[in-house]
Amino acid sequence: MTEKILIALIGLGGAVIGSVATISVQIVAEYLRKKEVDRQESPQIEMLTEMLNHPKHKWRSLDRLQHVIGADEETTKRLLLKIGARASEDGKPIWGLRSRNPLPGEPNDS
């Protein structure tokens, strides 16, 4: 091999290693960011689940759910969907667990 080809191969190898390292760091950083978000949202999810499983309340107002977990409307709705809740079909801003409030025609697993 000539010296020029060897230098080119070393440069190519360095570029590949640098690219793989950059992508790996990005993947690890995203994983850690998601893990931290999940850790921060865990108490909110637990509170929402507890509120929606309360024996006296099959439905809860979105305002109350937001207030109790200290989140905005968008975050609250995202977390509600994450735990298997759904909004009322009549347009009222109330939410309940699908397991306790199945859609019409949906089997109730309870």
Side-chain angles (χ1 to χ4, degrees):
M1 253 192 254
T2 67
E3 188 177 323
K4 289 182 180 182
I5 293 176
L6 184 59
I7 290 171
L9 288 176
I10 290 171
L12 179 64
V16 169
I17 290 170
S19 297
V20 169
T22 299
I23 291 169
S24 299
V25 166
Q26 293 297 327
I27 290 171
V28 170
E30 180 61 22
Y31 169 78
L32 293 174
R33 186 199 64 76
K34 184 179 180 329
K35 191 171 180 178
E36 178 62 18
V37 167
D38 289 346
R39 185 190 67 75
Q40 290 174 352
E41 290 178 346
S42 180
Q44 292 173 313
I45 288 173
E46 288 175 22
M47 183 62 67
L48 288 172
T49 304
E50 185 179 331
M51 289 178 72
L52 294 177
N53 274 319
H54 193 282
K56 292 183 181 181
H57 303 283
K58 287 181 76 171
W59 296 95
R60 294 283 191 150
S61 74
L62 183 58
D63 285 342
R64 178 163 298 194
L65 294 167
Q66 282 179 233
H67 176 73
V68 169
I69 69 167
D72 61 17
E73 183 174 333
E74 182 181 325
T75 300
T76 304
K77 286 180 177 180
R78 182 177 53 79
L79 295 175
L80 286 165
L81 292 170
K82 191 173 185 176
I83 66 170
R86 72 174 185 90
S88 170
E89 290 178 58
D90 62 9
K92 293 180 183 174
I94 57 175
W95 286 70
L97 291 173
R98 286 182 68 183
S99 60
R100 297 182 71 196
N101 304 289
L103 292 167
E106 185 177 56
N108 190 350
D109 294 336
S110 305

